[in-house]
Amino acid sequence: MSNHQLSPDTQGILLLCGSFGKSRNHSPQPLSLTEYNLLAAALRSHQMTPAHLLAPDGEQKLCSLNHSLDNQRIIELLQRGFLLTLSLEKWRSQGLWIVSRSDRHYPQRLKQHLKYLSPPILYGVGNLELLNKGGLAIVGSRNVNEAVLSYTQQLAHISAQQNIQVISGGARGIDKCGMLSCLEAGGTTIGVLANSLGKASLESDYRQSLDEDRLALISPYDPEAGFHVGNAMGRNKYIYALADYAVVISASFNKGGTWSGAVEALKKLPNIPVFVCQNSQTQGNMELLKLGAKPFPEMSGKLDLLDILKPGETEEALEVEQMALDFAVNLTPENPAPTPIYVDVNPTPTEAPNVSPSPELSEAKIDVSLDIYQAVLPIILTHLQEPIDAKNLAKLLDVQYNQIQAWLKRAIEDGKVTKLTKPVRYVSSECNR
Protein backbone atom coordinates (compact mmCIF):
# COMPACT_ATOMS: atom_id res chain seq x y z
CA MET A 1 0.00 0.00 0.00
CA SER A 2 3.03 2.26 0.43
CA ASN A 3 3.24 2.53 -3.36
CA HIS A 4 -0.50 2.78 -3.81
CA GLN A 5 -1.80 6.28 -3.13
CA LEU A 6 -5.51 6.77 -2.61
CA SER A 7 -7.16 9.08 -5.11
CA PRO A 8 -9.49 11.79 -3.76
CA ASP A 9 -12.44 9.84 -5.19
CA THR A 10 -11.38 6.67 -3.37
CA GLN A 11 -10.99 8.62 -0.13
CA GLY A 12 -14.51 9.96 -0.60
CA ILE A 13 -15.96 6.52 -1.32
CA LEU A 14 -14.17 5.05 1.72
CA LEU A 15 -15.64 7.75 3.95
CA LEU A 16 -19.10 7.09 2.53
CA CYS A 17 -19.03 3.28 2.55
CA GLY A 18 -16.28 2.17 4.95
CA SER A 19 -16.93 0.98 8.49
CA PHE A 20 -13.30 1.33 9.76
CA GLY A 21 -13.43 -1.69 12.03
CA LYS A 22 -16.75 -0.76 13.60
CA SER A 23 -20.12 -2.45 13.22
CA ARG A 24 -21.97 -1.29 10.13
CA ASN A 25 -24.86 -0.46 12.44
CA HIS A 26 -22.68 2.09 14.23
CA SER A 27 -23.87 5.69 13.75
CA PRO A 28 -23.50 7.21 11.22
CA GLN A 29 -24.29 4.07 9.29
CA PRO A 30 -22.14 3.67 6.13
CA LEU A 31 -23.96 3.69 2.81
CA SER A 32 -25.13 0.35 1.47
CA LEU A 33 -24.39 -0.57 -2.14
CA THR A 34 -27.87 0.55 -3.23
CA GLU A 35 -27.55 3.84 -1.36
CA TYR A 36 -24.10 4.53 -2.76
CA ASN A 37 -25.37 3.89 -6.27
CA LEU A 38 -28.16 6.43 -5.72
CA LEU A 39 -25.67 9.06 -4.58
CA ALA A 40 -23.25 8.20 -7.39
CA ALA A 41 -26.03 8.63 -9.96
CA ALA A 42 -26.94 12.02 -8.49
CA LEU A 43 -23.29 13.11 -8.60
CA ARG A 44 -22.89 11.92 -12.16
CA SER A 45 -25.99 13.85 -13.28
CA HIS A 46 -24.20 17.02 -12.10
CA GLN A 47 -20.84 16.03 -13.65
CA MET A 48 -19.39 15.48 -10.19
CA THR A 49 -17.55 12.67 -8.41
CA PRO A 50 -17.20 11.77 -4.70
CA ALA A 51 -14.08 13.93 -4.53
CA HIS A 52 -16.23 17.04 -5.04
CA LEU A 53 -17.90 16.35 -1.69
CA LEU A 54 -14.52 16.69 0.06
CA ALA A 55 -13.96 20.23 -1.23
CA PRO A 56 -14.48 23.25 1.07
CA ASP A 57 -17.86 23.82 -0.57
CA GLY A 58 -18.69 20.09 -0.55
CA GLU A 59 -21.68 20.49 1.75
CA GLN A 60 -23.14 23.10 -0.58
CA LYS A 61 -22.58 20.81 -3.56
CA LEU A 62 -24.24 17.93 -1.70
CA CYS A 63 -27.32 20.03 -0.97
CA SER A 64 -27.62 20.87 -4.67
CA LEU A 65 -28.06 17.20 -5.57
CA ASN A 66 -31.45 15.61 -6.10
CA HIS A 67 -31.55 12.30 -4.25
CA SER A 68 -33.54 10.54 -1.52
CA LEU A 69 -30.74 10.06 1.05
CA ASP A 70 -30.31 11.95 4.31
CA ASN A 71 -27.79 14.75 3.66
CA GLN A 72 -26.92 15.07 7.35
CA ARG A 73 -25.94 11.41 7.48
CA ILE A 74 -23.73 11.87 4.42
CA ILE A 75 -22.10 14.94 5.96
CA GLU A 76 -21.36 13.01 9.15
CA LEU A 77 -19.85 10.16 7.16
CA LEU A 78 -17.59 12.55 5.25
CA GLN A 79 -16.38 14.07 8.53
CA ARG A 80 -14.72 10.80 9.65
CA GLY A 81 -11.31 11.87 8.38
CA PHE A 82 -9.51 11.00 11.63
CA LEU A 83 -10.92 7.46 11.61
CA LEU A 84 -9.86 7.09 7.97
CA THR A 85 -6.30 8.21 8.80
CA LEU A 86 -5.99 5.72 11.67
CA SER A 87 -7.35 2.87 9.54
CA LEU A 88 -5.05 3.67 6.62
CA GLU A 89 -2.03 3.52 8.92
CA LYS A 90 -3.10 0.14 10.27
CA TRP A 91 -3.85 -1.25 6.81
CA ARG A 92 -0.52 0.05 5.53
CA SER A 93 1.31 -1.81 8.29
CA GLN A 94 -0.43 -5.02 7.16
CA GLY A 95 0.53 -4.45 3.53
CA LEU A 96 -3.07 -3.92 2.43
CA TRP A 97 -4.22 -1.78 -0.49
CA ILE A 98 -7.60 -0.31 -1.41
CA VAL A 99 -9.17 0.32 -4.80
CA SER A 100 -12.53 1.87 -5.59
CA ARG A 101 -14.78 1.70 -8.64
CA SER A 102 -13.27 5.01 -9.77
CA ASP A 103 -9.70 3.60 -9.90
CA ARG A 104 -8.07 2.38 -13.07
CA HIS A 105 -6.73 -0.62 -11.10
CA TYR A 106 -10.24 -1.77 -10.19
CA PRO A 107 -10.94 -5.16 -11.85
CA GLN A 108 -12.82 -4.55 -15.06
CA ARG A 109 -14.27 -8.05 -14.92
CA LEU A 110 -16.41 -7.07 -11.95
CA LYS A 111 -17.77 -4.02 -13.77
CA GLN A 112 -18.30 -6.03 -16.93
CA HIS A 113 -20.23 -8.88 -15.34
CA LEU A 114 -21.88 -7.24 -12.33
CA LYS A 115 -22.45 -3.67 -13.54
CA TYR A 116 -23.83 -1.70 -10.57
CA LEU A 117 -23.58 -4.73 -8.28
CA SER A 118 -19.79 -4.40 -8.31
CA PRO A 119 -18.64 -3.30 -4.84
CA PRO A 120 -17.68 0.38 -4.40
CA ILE A 121 -14.53 -0.59 -2.45
CA LEU A 122 -12.17 -3.56 -2.59
CA TYR A 123 -9.58 -4.18 0.13
CA GLY A 124 -6.70 -6.44 -0.80
CA VAL A 125 -3.17 -7.69 -0.36
CA GLY A 126 -0.82 -9.17 -2.93
CA ASN A 127 -0.56 -8.82 -6.69
CA LEU A 128 -3.26 -6.43 -7.89
CA GLU A 129 -2.59 -7.31 -11.53
CA LEU A 130 -4.00 -10.84 -11.02
CA LEU A 131 -7.54 -9.46 -10.67
CA ASN A 132 -7.90 -9.00 -14.43
CA LYS A 133 -6.30 -12.29 -15.43
CA GLY A 134 -9.45 -14.43 -15.19
CA GLY A 135 -9.18 -18.16 -14.64
CA LEU A 136 -11.07 -21.08 -13.12
CA ALA A 137 -13.24 -20.71 -10.02
CA ILE A 138 -13.00 -23.86 -7.88
CA VAL A 139 -15.68 -23.91 -5.18
CA GLY A 140 -17.25 -26.44 -2.85
CA SER A 141 -18.36 -27.38 0.61
CA ARG A 142 -16.35 -27.05 3.81
CA ASN A 143 -16.93 -30.57 5.12
CA VAL A 144 -15.83 -33.17 2.55
CA ASN A 145 -13.91 -36.45 2.63
CA GLU A 146 -10.30 -37.06 1.60
CA ALA A 147 -11.28 -38.38 -1.83
CA VAL A 148 -13.01 -35.11 -2.72
CA LEU A 149 -10.07 -33.07 -1.42
CA SER A 150 -7.70 -35.24 -3.48
CA TYR A 151 -9.82 -34.57 -6.59
CA THR A 152 -9.71 -30.84 -5.84
CA GLN A 153 -5.96 -30.93 -5.42
CA GLN A 154 -5.52 -32.73 -8.75
CA LEU A 155 -7.71 -30.22 -10.59
CA ALA A 156 -5.81 -27.30 -9.06
CA HIS A 157 -2.47 -28.85 -9.99
CA ILE A 158 -3.57 -29.30 -13.60
CA SER A 159 -4.80 -25.69 -13.67
CA ALA A 160 -1.42 -24.42 -12.49
CA GLN A 161 0.47 -26.60 -14.98
CA GLN A 162 -1.69 -25.27 -17.84
CA ASN A 163 -1.33 -21.65 -16.70
CA ILE A 164 -4.96 -21.30 -15.63
CA GLN A 165 -5.39 -19.19 -12.53
CA VAL A 166 -7.51 -20.55 -9.67
CA ILE A 167 -10.09 -18.32 -7.96
CA SER A 168 -11.87 -19.33 -4.78
CA GLY A 169 -13.26 -18.13 -1.48
CA GLY A 170 -10.55 -19.06 1.01
CA ALA A 171 -12.94 -20.99 3.26
CA ARG A 172 -11.96 -24.22 4.97
CA GLY A 173 -12.37 -27.34 2.82
CA ILE A 174 -12.48 -27.26 -0.97
CA ASP A 175 -11.91 -23.51 -1.36
CA LYS A 176 -8.64 -23.37 0.55
CA CYS A 177 -7.50 -26.75 -0.78
CA GLY A 178 -7.90 -25.52 -4.36
CA MET A 179 -6.04 -22.27 -3.67
CA LEU A 180 -3.11 -23.82 -1.80
CA SER A 181 -2.77 -26.73 -4.26
CA CYS A 182 -2.54 -24.33 -7.20
CA LEU A 183 0.10 -22.27 -5.37
CA GLU A 184 2.08 -25.40 -4.46
CA ALA A 185 2.16 -26.32 -8.16
CA GLY A 186 3.57 -22.89 -9.09
CA GLY A 187 0.33 -21.27 -10.27
CA THR A 188 -1.40 -18.02 -9.39
CA THR A 189 -4.49 -17.65 -7.24
CA ILE A 190 -7.11 -15.14 -6.11
CA GLY A 191 -8.90 -15.59 -2.80
CA VAL A 192 -12.12 -13.61 -2.34
CA LEU A 193 -12.60 -13.53 1.43
CA ALA A 194 -15.79 -12.90 3.36
CA ASN A 195 -14.04 -11.90 6.59
CA SER A 196 -10.75 -11.24 8.42
CA LEU A 197 -8.63 -10.11 5.47
CA GLY A 198 -6.14 -8.49 7.84
CA LYS A 199 -5.53 -11.76 9.68
CA ALA A 200 -5.40 -13.81 6.48
CA SER A 201 -2.70 -11.55 5.06
CA LEU A 202 -0.41 -12.66 7.90
CA GLU A 203 -1.06 -16.42 7.62
CA SER A 204 2.01 -18.57 7.00
CA ASP A 205 0.16 -20.52 4.28
CA TYR A 206 0.04 -17.39 2.14
CA ARG A 207 3.18 -15.37 2.93
CA GLN A 208 5.59 -16.90 0.40
CA SER A 209 3.09 -16.72 -2.46
CA LEU A 210 2.28 -13.11 -1.57
CA ASP A 211 5.99 -12.26 -1.60
CA GLU A 212 6.32 -13.96 -5.01
CA ASP A 213 3.37 -11.99 -6.47
CA ARG A 214 1.47 -15.21 -7.21
CA LEU A 215 -1.45 -14.51 -4.88
CA ALA A 216 -4.03 -11.80 -4.31
CA LEU A 217 -6.41 -11.87 -1.35
CA ILE A 218 -9.32 -9.45 -1.63
CA SER A 219 -12.52 -8.63 0.20
CA PRO A 220 -15.38 -6.14 -0.32
CA TYR A 221 -15.74 -6.04 3.48
CA ASP A 222 -13.75 -4.24 6.16
CA PRO A 223 -10.41 -6.02 6.78
CA GLU A 224 -11.38 -6.50 10.44
CA ALA A 225 -14.90 -7.79 9.75
CA GLY A 226 -15.73 -11.07 11.48
CA PHE A 227 -17.64 -13.94 9.92
CA HIS A 228 -21.20 -13.14 8.87
CA VAL A 229 -23.39 -15.49 6.86
CA GLY A 230 -24.73 -12.65 4.73
CA ASN A 231 -21.20 -11.56 3.78
CA ALA A 232 -20.22 -15.15 2.95
CA MET A 233 -23.23 -15.43 0.64
CA GLY A 234 -22.69 -11.97 -0.82
CA ARG A 235 -19.08 -12.52 -1.83
CA ASN A 236 -19.90 -15.60 -3.95
CA LYS A 237 -20.82 -13.55 -7.02
CA TYR A 238 -17.41 -11.86 -6.95
CA ILE A 239 -15.66 -15.24 -7.18
CA TYR A 240 -17.62 -16.12 -10.31
CA ALA A 241 -17.40 -12.64 -11.84
CA LEU A 242 -13.59 -12.65 -11.64
CA ALA A 243 -13.40 -16.03 -13.41
CA ASP A 244 -13.83 -17.22 -16.99
CA TYR A 245 -15.47 -20.47 -15.88
CA ALA A 246 -16.24 -22.36 -12.66
CA VAL A 247 -16.24 -25.92 -11.34
CA VAL A 248 -18.42 -26.85 -8.39
CA ILE A 249 -16.71 -29.78 -6.69
CA SER A 250 -19.37 -30.58 -4.11
CA ALA A 251 -22.58 -28.81 -3.09
CA SER A 252 -25.35 -29.58 -0.63
CA PHE A 253 -28.84 -29.36 -2.05
CA ASN A 254 -30.75 -26.15 -1.36
CA LYS A 255 -28.51 -25.00 1.49
CA GLY A 256 -25.11 -23.50 2.10
CA GLY A 257 -23.00 -20.92 0.31
CA THR A 258 -21.78 -23.25 -2.45
CA TRP A 259 -25.34 -24.05 -3.52
CA SER A 260 -26.61 -20.46 -3.37
CA GLY A 261 -23.53 -19.12 -5.15
CA ALA A 262 -23.83 -21.62 -8.01
CA VAL A 263 -27.56 -21.01 -8.43
CA GLU A 264 -26.97 -17.25 -8.45
CA ALA A 265 -24.25 -17.61 -11.08
CA LEU A 266 -26.43 -19.83 -13.30
CA LYS A 267 -29.27 -17.28 -13.15
CA LYS A 268 -27.43 -13.98 -13.26
CA LEU A 269 -24.02 -14.63 -14.83
CA PRO A 270 -24.81 -16.50 -18.06
CA ASN A 271 -21.41 -15.59 -19.53
CA ILE A 272 -19.62 -17.69 -16.90
CA PRO A 273 -20.01 -21.41 -17.68
CA VAL A 274 -20.60 -23.41 -14.48
CA PHE A 275 -19.42 -27.04 -14.45
CA VAL A 276 -20.23 -29.69 -11.86
CA CYS A 277 -17.92 -32.48 -10.78
CA GLN A 278 -19.55 -35.84 -11.56
CA ASN A 279 -17.32 -37.77 -9.17
CA SER A 280 -19.12 -36.22 -6.21
CA GLN A 281 -22.57 -37.78 -6.33
CA THR A 282 -24.19 -35.28 -3.98
CA GLN A 283 -27.82 -34.31 -4.50
CA GLY A 284 -26.73 -30.69 -4.83
CA ASN A 285 -24.47 -31.50 -7.78
CA MET A 286 -27.21 -33.46 -9.50
CA GLU A 287 -29.73 -30.66 -9.02
CA LEU A 288 -27.30 -28.06 -10.38
CA LEU A 289 -27.08 -30.08 -13.59
CA LYS A 290 -30.87 -29.80 -13.89
CA LEU A 291 -30.58 -26.03 -13.49
CA GLY A 292 -28.19 -25.71 -16.42
CA ALA A 293 -24.73 -26.53 -15.10
CA LYS A 294 -22.45 -28.55 -17.38
CA PRO A 295 -21.00 -31.94 -16.40
CA PHE A 296 -17.26 -31.87 -15.77
CA PRO A 297 -15.57 -35.05 -17.07
CA GLU A 298 -13.52 -37.40 -14.96
CA MET A 299 -9.83 -36.59 -14.77
CA SER A 300 -8.35 -39.63 -16.43
CA GLY A 301 -5.25 -39.56 -18.57
CA LYS A 302 -4.02 -36.25 -19.95
CA LEU A 303 -6.69 -33.62 -19.46
CA ASP A 304 -6.58 -30.40 -21.49
CA LEU A 305 -8.70 -28.01 -19.48
CA LEU A 306 -9.03 -25.44 -22.26
CA ASP A 307 -10.69 -28.08 -24.44
CA ILE A 308 -13.38 -28.42 -21.77
CA LEU A 309 -13.69 -24.96 -20.27
CA LYS A 310 -14.99 -22.95 -23.18
CA PRO A 311 -15.74 -19.27 -22.51
CA GLY A 312 -19.50 -18.70 -22.48
CA GLU A 313 -19.25 -15.60 -24.63
CA THR A 314 -16.51 -13.88 -26.60
CA GLU A 315 -15.06 -10.56 -25.49
CA GLU A 316 -16.48 -9.01 -28.65
CA ALA A 317 -20.00 -10.15 -27.75
CA LEU A 318 -19.62 -8.76 -24.24
CA GLU A 319 -18.54 -5.41 -25.65
CA VAL A 320 -21.62 -5.33 -27.90
CA GLU A 321 -23.80 -6.07 -24.87
CA GLN A 322 -22.11 -3.29 -22.93
CA MET A 323 -22.76 -0.82 -25.76
CA ALA A 324 -26.39 -1.90 -25.95
CA LEU A 325 -26.96 -1.47 -22.23
CA ASP A 326 -24.93 1.75 -22.10
CA PHE A 327 -24.72 1.78 -18.31
CA ALA A 328 -21.52 3.22 -16.81
CA VAL A 329 -20.15 2.36 -13.39
CA ASN A 330 -17.08 4.60 -13.54
CA LEU A 331 -17.32 7.99 -11.92
CA THR A 332 -14.08 9.58 -13.05
CA PRO A 333 -13.97 12.50 -15.51
CA GLU A 334 -11.68 10.34 -17.67
CA ASN A 335 -14.50 7.79 -17.94
CA PRO A 336 -17.70 9.85 -18.15
CA ALA A 337 -21.10 8.23 -18.18
CA PRO A 338 -22.25 7.43 -21.73
CA THR A 339 -25.39 8.91 -23.21
CA PRO A 340 -28.25 6.69 -22.04
CA ILE A 341 -30.24 4.68 -24.53
CA TYR A 342 -33.73 6.01 -24.95
CA VAL A 343 -36.13 4.83 -27.61
CA ASP A 344 -39.32 6.84 -27.93
CA VAL A 345 -41.84 4.97 -30.03
CA ASN A 346 -44.18 7.99 -30.02
CA PRO A 347 -42.00 11.09 -30.37
CA THR A 348 -43.58 14.46 -29.68
CA PRO A 349 -43.38 17.25 -32.30
CA THR A 350 -40.51 18.85 -30.35
CA GLU A 351 -38.50 15.63 -30.43
CA ALA A 352 -38.90 14.74 -34.09
CA PRO A 353 -39.52 16.49 -37.40
CA ASN A 354 -43.14 17.27 -38.16
CA VAL A 355 -43.38 14.41 -40.60
CA SER A 356 -45.52 11.33 -40.25
CA PRO A 357 -43.25 8.29 -40.00
CA SER A 358 -43.84 5.40 -42.31
CA PRO A 359 -45.44 2.23 -40.87
CA GLU A 360 -42.18 0.40 -41.52
CA LEU A 361 -40.20 2.91 -39.43
CA SER A 362 -42.69 2.83 -36.56
CA GLU A 363 -42.61 -0.96 -36.52
CA ALA A 364 -38.79 -0.93 -36.53
CA LYS A 365 -38.73 1.38 -33.53
CA ILE A 366 -41.08 -0.86 -31.61
CA ASP A 367 -38.92 -3.90 -32.35
CA VAL A 368 -35.79 -2.12 -31.12
CA SER A 369 -37.58 -1.08 -27.94
CA LEU A 370 -38.62 -4.65 -27.24
CA ASP A 371 -35.06 -5.87 -27.79
CA ILE A 372 -33.71 -3.27 -25.38
CA TYR A 373 -36.29 -4.27 -22.76
CA GLN A 374 -35.10 -7.88 -22.91
CA ALA A 375 -31.48 -6.72 -22.61
CA VAL A 376 -31.99 -4.35 -19.69
CA LEU A 377 -34.47 -6.44 -17.68
CA PRO A 378 -31.74 -8.45 -15.85
CA ILE A 379 -30.01 -5.17 -14.95
CA ILE A 380 -33.27 -3.67 -13.68
CA LEU A 381 -33.91 -6.73 -11.53
CA THR A 382 -30.47 -6.51 -9.91
CA HIS A 383 -31.43 -3.06 -8.65
CA LEU A 384 -34.75 -4.28 -7.32
CA GLN A 385 -33.40 -6.60 -4.65
CA GLU A 386 -34.69 -3.90 -2.29
CA PRO A 387 -37.79 -1.71 -2.91
CA ILE A 388 -37.03 1.49 -4.81
CA ASP A 389 -39.15 4.15 -6.51
CA ALA A 390 -39.12 4.72 -10.26
CA LYS A 391 -37.48 8.14 -10.04
CA ASN A 392 -34.43 6.89 -8.20
CA LEU A 393 -34.24 3.78 -10.36
CA ALA A 394 -34.15 5.99 -13.46
CA LYS A 395 -31.26 7.95 -11.92
CA LEU A 396 -29.36 4.77 -11.11
CA LEU A 397 -29.67 3.47 -14.65
CA ASP A 398 -29.18 6.88 -16.28
CA VAL A 399 -32.35 6.67 -18.38
CA GLN A 400 -35.42 8.84 -18.89
CA TYR A 401 -38.12 8.64 -16.22
CA ASN A 402 -40.91 7.73 -18.68
CA GLN A 403 -38.66 5.07 -20.21
CA ILE A 404 -38.13 3.32 -16.86
CA GLN A 405 -41.86 3.54 -16.21
CA ALA A 406 -42.53 1.76 -19.51
CA TRP A 407 -40.03 -0.98 -18.67
CA LEU A 408 -41.44 -1.39 -15.16
CA LYS A 409 -44.98 -1.66 -16.53
CA ARG A 410 -43.86 -4.40 -18.92
CA ALA A 411 -41.93 -6.19 -16.16
CA ILE A 412 -45.02 -6.12 -13.90
CA GLU A 413 -47.11 -7.61 -16.70
CA ASP A 414 -44.46 -10.32 -17.16
CA GLY A 415 -44.57 -11.14 -13.44
CA LYS A 416 -40.93 -10.14 -12.94
CA VAL A 417 -41.56 -7.04 -10.81
CA THR A 418 -44.02 -6.32 -7.99
CA LYS A 419 -45.43 -2.83 -7.39
CA LEU A 420 -45.71 -1.81 -3.75
CA THR A 421 -47.90 1.01 -2.43
CA LYS A 422 -47.77 3.58 0.39
CA PRO A 423 -45.35 4.75 -0.90
CA VAL A 424 -45.15 3.48 -4.48
CA ARG A 425 -42.01 1.41 -4.96
CA TYR A 426 -40.93 -1.54 -7.05
CA VAL A 427 -39.17 -4.78 -6.11
CA SER A 428 -38.16 -7.99 -7.87
CA SER A 429 -40.98 -10.52 -7.60
CA GLU A 430 -38.48 -13.16 -6.46
CA CYS A 431 -37.50 -10.99 -3.47
CA ASN A 432 -41.14 -10.30 -2.61
CA ARG A 433 -42.14 -13.93 -2.16
Side-chain angles (χ1 to χ4, degrees), residues 146-374:
E146 287 300 320
V148 174
L149 288 177
S150 176
Y151 181 95
T152 304
Q153 184 180 44
Q154 185 182 358
L155 177 58
H157 280 175
I158 294 174
S159 298
Q161 293 162 6
Q162 298 182 14
N163 198 31
I164 298 174
Q165 180 167 258
V166 167
I167 303 159
S168 198
R172 173 176 55 83
I174 287 172
D175 285 18
K176 196 163 188 177
C177 175
M179 290 171 56
L180 294 179
S181 297
C182 179
L183 293 172
E184 289 167 2
T188 63
T189 294
I190 298 173
V192 185
L193 309 186
N195 60 282
S196 306
L197 173 65
K199 291 181 180 178
S201 68
L202 303 176
E203 287 185 19
S204 58
D205 286 342
Y206 296 134
R207 288 314 310 173
Q208 181 177 347
S209 299
L210 287 171
D211 292 340
E212 295 173 351
D213 285 335
R214 294 190 297 111
L215 172 65
L217 300 175
I218 65 170
S219 179
Y221 310 112
D222 188 281
E224 296 179 46
F227 180 79
H228 186 277
V229 173
N231 290 354
M233 297 290 190
R235 69 86 149 82
N236 287 328
K237 56 182 169 289
Y238 308 132
I239 297 173
Y240 286 90
L242 287 169
D244 296 305
Y245 13 68
V247 173
V248 178
I249 303 295
S250 177
S252 299
F253 174 56
N254 210 26
K255 65 178 181 179
T258 303
W259 169 265
S260 63
V263 171
E264 182 181 32
L266 287 168
K267 287 183 177 180
K268 299 180 180 180
L269 296 173
N271 299 318
I272 312 296
V274 177
F275 293 82
V276 170
C277 168
Q278 297 183 93
N279 285 17
S280 178
Q281 298 295 320
T282 65
Q283 184 183 0
N285 284 28
M286 299 301 102
E287 294 296 328
L288 287 174
L289 290 172
K290 295 177 183 178
L291 293 176
K294 306 171 187 289
F296 190 79
E298 294 186 10
M299 289 187 290
S300 57
K302 185 176 180 180
L303 184 69
D304 190 334
L305 287 182
L306 292 181
D307 283 346
I308 302 168
L309 305 171
K310 301 293 184 182
E313 190 169 333
T314 64
E315 290 297 321
E316 180 181 358
L318 284 172
E319 290 174 6
V320 170
E321 178 197 11
Q322 186 69 18
M323 291 174 62
L325 294 174
D326 219 358
F327 294 148
V329 293
N330 267 351
L331 295 173
T332 58
E334 293 79 8
N335 295 286
T339 303
I341 292 176
Y342 174 59
V343 179
D344 191 349
V345 296
N346 295 302
T348 63
T350 59
E351 294 170 327
N354 190 20
V355 177
S356 298
S358 66
E360 293 80 3
L361 181 58
S362 297
E363 185 65 29
K365 287 188 177 183
I366 291 172
D367 288 341
V368 170
S369 179
L370 290 175
D371 287 341
I372 293 177
Y373 165 77
Q374 296 296 338

Side-chain angles (χ1 to χ4, degrees), residues 7-13 36 49-51 99-106 108 111 119-121 329-335:
S7 69
D9 276 329
T10 297
Q11 293 179 47
I13 297 173
Y36 173 73
T49 73
V99 293
S100 73
R101 280 196 332 209
S102 67
D103 287 330
R104 64 184 180 87
H105 294 294
Y106 190 92
Q108 294 301 309
K111 293 182 181 181
I121 289 287
V329 293
N330 267 351
L331 295 173
T332 58
E334 293 79 8
N335 295 286

Side-chain angles (χ1 to χ4, degrees), residues 11-246:
Q11 293 179 47
I13 297 173
L14 262 173
L15 289 169
L16 292 166
C17 302
S19 57
F20 306 131
K22 299 180 178 295
S23 166
R24 288 194 64 84
N25 293 323
H26 189 274
S27 183
Q29 188 174 1
L31 300 185
S32 67
L33 175 59
T34 299
E35 290 173 327
Y36 173 73
N37 283 337
L38 285 172
L39 180 61
L43 286 167
R44 188 170 60 248
S45 68
H46 286 71
Q47 288 77 53
M48 289 192 289
T49 73
H52 286 87
L53 301 181
L54 301 180
D57 61 345
E59 186 172 335
Q60 181 180 349
K61 287 186 169 94
L62 174 64
C63 293
S64 71
L65 302 177
N66 184 15
H67 60 83
S68 60
L69 303 176
D70 179 5
N71 279 343
Q72 184 57 38
R73 175 185 166 203
I74 294 173
I75 291 169
E76 291 177 6
L77 287 169
L78 293 171
Q79 290 174 342
R80 299 182 301 159
F82 182 66
L83 270 178
L84 173 60
T85 300
L86 291 179
S87 296
L88 289 177
E89 286 301 319
K90 182 173 184 178
W91 296 335
R92 183 177 289 111
S93 69
Q94 296 173 320
L96 304 187
W97 42 255
I98 302 104
V99 293
S100 73
R101 280 196 332 209
S102 67
D103 287 330
R104 64 184 180 87
H105 294 294
Y106 190 92
Q108 294 301 309
R109 288 172 177 270
L110 291 182
K111 293 182 181 181
Q112 184 182 63
H113 292 297
L114 298 178
K115 311 296 189 297
Y116 281 99
L117 287 182
S118 52
I121 289 287
L122 280 178
Y123 305 88
V125 62
N127 188 352
L128 189 59
E129 302 301 324
L130 299 180
L131 302 187
N132 282 308
K133 185 180 176 181
L136 172 65
I138 298 178
V139 296
S141 304
R142 293 170 180 261
N143 300 312
V144 292
N145 59 38
E146 287 300 320
V148 174
L149 288 177
S150 176
Y151 181 95
T152 304
Q153 184 180 44
Q154 185 182 358
L155 177 58
H157 280 175
I158 294 174
S159 298
Q161 293 162 6
Q162 298 182 14
N163 198 31
I164 298 174
Q165 180 167 258
V166 167
I167 303 159
S168 198
R172 173 176 55 83
I174 287 172
D175 285 18
K176 196 163 188 177
C177 175
M179 290 171 56
L180 294 179
S181 297
C182 179
L183 293 172
E184 289 167 2
T188 63
T189 294
I190 298 173
V192 185
L193 309 186
N195 60 282
S196 306
L197 173 65
K199 291 181 180 178
S201 68
L202 303 176
E203 287 185 19
S204 58
D205 286 342
Y206 296 134
R207 288 314 310 173
Q208 181 177 347
S209 299
L210 287 171
D211 292 340
E212 295 173 351
D213 285 335
R214 294 190 297 111
L215 172 65
L217 300 175
I218 65 170
S219 179
Y221 310 112
D222 188 281
E224 296 179 46
F227 180 79
H228 186 277
V229 173
N231 290 354
M233 297 290 190
R235 69 86 149 82
N236 287 328
K237 56 182 169 289
Y238 308 132
I239 297 173
Y240 286 90
L242 287 169
D244 296 305
Y245 13 68

